[in-house]
């Protein structure tokens, strides 16, 4: 069974943390990732070389990425070819990167990142925000496309996932479509599969207790002022 087939029709859990979260610690994040696998996750999505290297040991496919800000470029998810190479060396079987068509640092092209992933023995997942971006990524050699960045590149961020885009990509893209971005309920996950998703990625709702707690706290009459 290849890596894409291993996650087909199943759940991938994104285990990421940033800022003051205690889960930025690699050991703590590995405990979270192991819990996700015990709960039925068929794959993991991890941020950073150290976390990806640890997740690989859990025996399920790992989608690796690097989040890094670069002056002069809005691209934040795996901005450069060197990031891709570092992730494949850490054992990522799939490398995810921003494929929205926005300018990359140093003028690197998406096709360069795709080639680096393939050279390292990994598949390339294009994180996109539209059908046009997805089709361009497929032309560049992407093996999978994900709705990860829908709602994050222009205007206010919607509350729910872009299930309509999942359907649009599924009808027009010849590669597996990964539904990702603001999935919080079983109903939303089922709807994505109904629209043709190959797999669904759920992150914050499962693996980010800081933000999950904040959402509940903000519904209380007296939420903490720093929440």
């Amino acid at each position: 069974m290849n890596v894409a087939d291993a996650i087909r029709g199943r759940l991938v859990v994104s285990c990421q943390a940033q800022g003051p979260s205690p889960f930025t610690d690699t050991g703590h994040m590995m405990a979270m990732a192991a819990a996700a696998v015990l709960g039925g996750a068929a794959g993991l999505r991890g941020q950073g070389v150290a976390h990806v290297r640890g997740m690989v040991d859990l025996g399920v496919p790992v989608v690796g990425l690097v989040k890094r800000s670069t002056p002069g470029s809005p691209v934040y998810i795996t901005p450069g070819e060197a990031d891709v190479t570092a992730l494949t060396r850490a054992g990522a079987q799939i490398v995810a990167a921003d494929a929205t068509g926005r300018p990359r640092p140093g003028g690197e092209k998406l096709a360069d990142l795709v080639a680096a992933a393939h050279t390292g023995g990994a598949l390339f997942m294009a994180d996109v925000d539209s059908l046009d971006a997805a089709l361009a990524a497929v032309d560049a050699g992407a093996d999978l496309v994900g709705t990860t960045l829908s709602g994050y590149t222009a205007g206010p961020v919607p509350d729910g996932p872009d299930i309509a885009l999942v359907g649009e990509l599924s009808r027009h893209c010849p590669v597996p479509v990964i539904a990702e971005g603001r999935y919080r309920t079983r109903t939303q996950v089922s709807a994505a599969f109904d629209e043709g998703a190959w797999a669904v990625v759920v992150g914050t709702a499962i693996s980010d207790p800081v933000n999950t707690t904040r959402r509940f706290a903000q519904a209380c009459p007296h939420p903490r002022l720093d929440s």
Side-chain angles (χ1 to χ4, degrees):
M1 181 183 294
N2 65 35
V3 174
D5 285 341
I7 61 172
R8 187 173 189 176
R10 303 185 69 184
L11 176 71
V12 175
V13 175
S14 181
C15 294
Q16 300 181 44
Q18 52 191 341
S21 172
F23 288 95
T24 55
D25 174 81
T26 301
H28 291 166
M29 182 56 76
M30 291 313 100
M32 176 68 78
V37 173
L38 285 173
L44 298 165
R45 180 171 163 119
Q47 191 280 127
V49 170
H51 287 183
V52 167
R53 186 179 293 115
M55 289 178 187
V56 168
D57 292 335
L58 295 174
V60 298
V62 175
V63 181
L65 63 135
V66 171
K67 288 183 175 177
R68 181 167 56 81
S69 296
T70 305
S73 171
V75 173
Y76 181 57
I77 297 177
T78 316
E81 185 178 342
D83 299 313
V84 174
T85 299
L87 289 165
T88 61
R89 289 176 177 171
Q93 295 100 325
I94 302 171
V95 173
D98 182 319
T100 59
R102 298 178 295 179
R104 313 192 80 85
E108 288 187 279
K109 304 300 182 183
L110 185 64
D112 297 329
L113 276 69
V114 173
H118 291 167
T119 297
L123 300 180
F124 186 88
M125 175 176 166
D127 288 348
V128 303
D129 59 346
S130 67
L131 175 60
D132 287 344
L135 294 175
V138 171
D139 286 344
D143 304 287
L144 312 97
V145 295
T147 59
T148 317
L149 290 172
S150 175
Y152 293 105
T153 56
V157 177
D159 186 61
D162 193 345
I163 296 171
L165 182 60
V166 173
E168 191 175 19
L169 299 188
S170 297
R171 289 189 295 274
H172 296 286
C173 292
V175 300
V177 174
I178 310 300
E180 181 174 7
R182 303 180 299 278
Y183 283 86
R184 298 188 180 99
T185 70
R186 292 175 53 173
T187 299
Q188 292 168 340
V189 170
S190 295
F193 280 118
D194 288 343
E195 286 295 320
W198 183 275
V200 177
V201 178
V202 176
T204 300
I206 293 174
S207 62
D208 189 343
V210 175
N211 280 311
T212 300
T213 302
R214 182 176 291 120
R215 286 174 63 85
F216 283 101
Q218 288 173 341
C220 297
H222 302 291
R224 283 175 47 183
L225 295 179
D226 59 352
S227 63

